[in-house]
Amino acid sequence: MKVLFLNGSPRRGATEKILLKLKEKYSAPGVEIEIISLAGKKVAPCNGCNYCKKNQTNCRIKDDMVELYQKFIEADAYIIASPVYVMGPTPQLSAFFSRLRPVHHVNKGVLLNKIGGSVAVGGTRNGGQELTVDIINNYLLTRGLAVVGGEIGQYHGGKIWSKDSKEEALNDNIGMDTAYGVVGRVIEMARLIEKGKNASVL
């Protein structure tokens, strides 16, 4: 099972540190976790030209999204993480999801019944983490994925207080517990879906 952790931050900071910790905790036999970062990547936003729809082919914009798109659709489960920028995800992450439009016109159904979850990292305790995971969850739903949260108290996404520090982010035990819960649930649900597919084949 391929699990993709997508880091929407344009910098290599607290969000990356958190994803590395989550990968360390949840890597196991049968679970391949890859972290992809948008830092340093060129991903232009969709301009609504309808090229993918009219020509039934992938986006005409040739930037780093060409490779990122392929990696994304090949995964089985997803954790989408972003620092909070102006009470929401980064513009880089927004551009990335806007460029997934070909999944509906070229690779129809490729993301259906796949599982995703969200993690937001804010510099202040109540700095927009809940709004950010809401938006990320909507990104996932818009692209046809199923969204899960954690258990009671972890709800609809991981919400971490970084105090604008890589080290302090990992020290937010309450926030890290919400992230652990979401990642664990995403992997659990992806396993159940895979078992269901195998059973239907038999």
Side-chain angles (χ1 to χ4, degrees), residues 36-145:
I36 292 179
S37 175
L38 297 185
K41 297 290 195 302
K42 292 183 179 179
V43 178
C46 173
N47 59 21
C49 71
N50 282 329
Y51 179 85
C52 62
K53 184 177 181 179
K54 291 175 182 177
N55 297 283
Q56 294 296 292
T57 189
N58 286 335
C59 187
R60 71 192 306 168
I61 303 171
K62 303 307 177 188
D63 55 15
D64 290 327
M65 190 62 187
V66 174
E67 180 182 357
L68 294 172
Y69 179 89
Q70 196 60 36
K71 282 183 174 288
F72 194 85
I73 66 173
E74 289 173 356
D76 301 302
Y78 307 85
I79 291 295
I80 312 301
S82 178
V84 178
Y85 277 29
V86 200
M87 301 294 280
T90 65
Q92 288 80 8
L93 190 60
S94 176
F96 177 92
F97 272 91
S98 76
R99 290 284 297 284
L100 288 179
R101 194 175 181 207
V103 300
H104 304 297
H105 304 300
V106 183
N107 307 108
K108 294 179 181 178
V110 72
L111 297 181
L112 289 177
N113 298 320
K114 293 186 178 183
I115 299 292
S118 57
V119 174
V121 184
T124 57
R125 168 53 76 192
N126 300 300
Q129 287 92 326
E130 288 199 357
L131 290 171
T132 299
V133 296
D134 278 343
I135 294 170
I136 294 173
N137 288 343
N138 285 331
Y139 287 165
L140 293 169
L141 291 168
T142 301
R143 295 311 178 202
L145 288 105

